Amino acid sequence: MSATQSSALRTLLASIERSASAGDDPLVVFDLDGTLYDNTHRTMRILLEFAHTHASSYRALYERLRETSPGHLKYRVADTLAALGFPDPELAQHVTTFWRERFFTDDYCLYDLPLAGAVELVNRVHKAGGVPCYLTGRDAPNMLVGTLRALQRDGFPVGRVETRLILKPSFEMNDDAFKHGVIAHLRKTGRVVGSFDNEPGLCNLFKQSFPEATVAWLDTSHAPGAPELQPDVVRLNDFTELLAGEAT
Ligand SMILES: [Mg+2]
């Protein structure tokens, strides 16, 4: 654990306290996919569903997927299939379409599991007086209900006056443009003291927008072609590293 990781939570909690005693809402922004939630389980479930319902046509894929774990998945479905020994572009197209029809929906986001330490960390922040702001590129028409159910099921503080849940108004809206717009709004409604995201570009954006905030990058998976992470962003594999740091 680096010195920055071990002190990051203490720094964040001190900022929350300072901001709250100054009468501001201390906002801590949490991305969902790849940050608080490990959505590889959702993709794994969809790939298995394809395999089980197409086993007579794709027997070898069925056998292979049944012995694959979520940790072996690539960012793109086609890359996962190729890595498993199925490079056929037509099959990749077929499976990708099947995946896309299910991945961005209420029902399937319930297959996600929280990243290690995520539930404890958000509750720690909340208990200290921080306002968790779940800010996600998921769209409200297709995913609000499932997102809310998962957050509540897993024990994240949600649906209370001192929490916020912010989804995109439409599926088509670009994720980066959406988060840029939300940042402008957050400035007017509180003080952003912390931000957690798995996309290096968004971490850099938060660090530039809120230089005093604790900004952390989750090294889970991210879109290909991401920019270099700014040096003053904390790097984490999961949230247990932060929780361990507070105890030392
Ligand atoms: Mg994400």
Side-chain angles (χ1 to χ4, degrees):
M1 195 191 307
S2 77
T4 336
Q5 281 170 353
S6 65
S7 59
L9 181 53
R10 274 174 282 151
T11 305
L12 176 61
L13 294 174
S15 307
I16 288 171
E17 205 168 298
R18 244 192 339 268
S19 161
S21 55
D24 287 328
D25 260 355
L27 310 179
V28 184
V29 181
F30 293 100
D31 169 54
L32 295 183
D33 292 300
T35 301
L36 291 184
Y37 274 100
D38 176 355
N39 61 22
T40 58
H41 300 278
R42 188 186 341 165
T43 287
M44 193 69 232
R45 173 61 172 75
I46 297 170
L47 296 183
L48 280 169
E49 185 173 327
F50 180 90
H52 278 253
T53 56
H54 295 74
S56 60
S57 314
Y58 302 107
R59 182 76 201 184
L61 179 66
Y62 167 79
E63 305 280 359
R64 188 77 180 84
L65 278 171
R66 280 169 60 86
E67 62 190 29
T68 301
S69 64
H72 291 109
L73 302 181
K74 309 286 181 201
Y75 190 81
R76 293 194 173 115
V77 170
D79 294 337
T80 297
L81 295 178
L84 294 175
F86 301 88
D88 175 16
E90 218 167 285
L91 173 66
Q93 187 55 51
H94 189 175
V95 180
T96 300
T97 302
F98 186 92
W99 172 84
R100 195 176 294 120
E101 286 165 357
R102 288 161 180 78
F103 189 80
F104 304 100
T105 63
D106 288 320
D107 288 349
Y108 285 82
C109 72
L110 287 163
Y111 290 107
D112 294 352
L113 290 171
L115 216 67
V119 179
E120 286 159 272
L121 190 270
V122 178
N123 277 292
R124 183 74 191 85
V125 161
H126 186 238
K127 206 175 276 179
V131 176
C133 302
Y134 308 103
L135 172 58
T136 171
R138 298 177 184 185
D139 72 297
N142 292 301
M143 299 189 76
L144 172 62
V145 174
T147 298
L148 196 52
R149 277 188 66 192
L151 287 167
Q152 189 175 43
R153 173 196 69 191
D154 295 328
F156 287 105
V158 72
R160 300 164 55 158
V161 66
E162 71 284 20
T163 66
R164 301 189 192 177
L165 174 56
I166 308 161
L167 284 82
K168 285 196 309 193
S170 71
F171 179 79
E172 292 72 25
M173 184 183 266
N174 172 275
D175 283 17
D176 285 8
F178 163 66
K179 290 197 177 179
H180 268 95
V182 171
I183 281 176
H185 188 80
L186 291 177
R187 275 186 196 289
K188 295 186 285 185
T189 58
R191 181 180 293 270
V192 174
V193 294
S195 165
F196 296 82
D197 208 295
N198 65 308
E199 288 296 341
L202 288 169
C203 290
N204 293 346
L205 171 66
F206 270 97
K207 196 66 200 175
Q208 282 153 17
S209 307
F210 309 104
E212 303 298 316
T214 300
V215 177
W217 171 64
L218 276 298
D219 187 6
T220 53
S221 72
H222 57 77
E228 185 109 350
L229 196 65
Q230 280 189 199
D232 46 1
V233 171
V234 181
R235 292 157 189 258
L236 301 172
N237 291 308
D238 62 48
F239 294 97
T240 59
E241 292 162 301
L242 282 184
L243 294 161
E246 197 197 7
T248 56

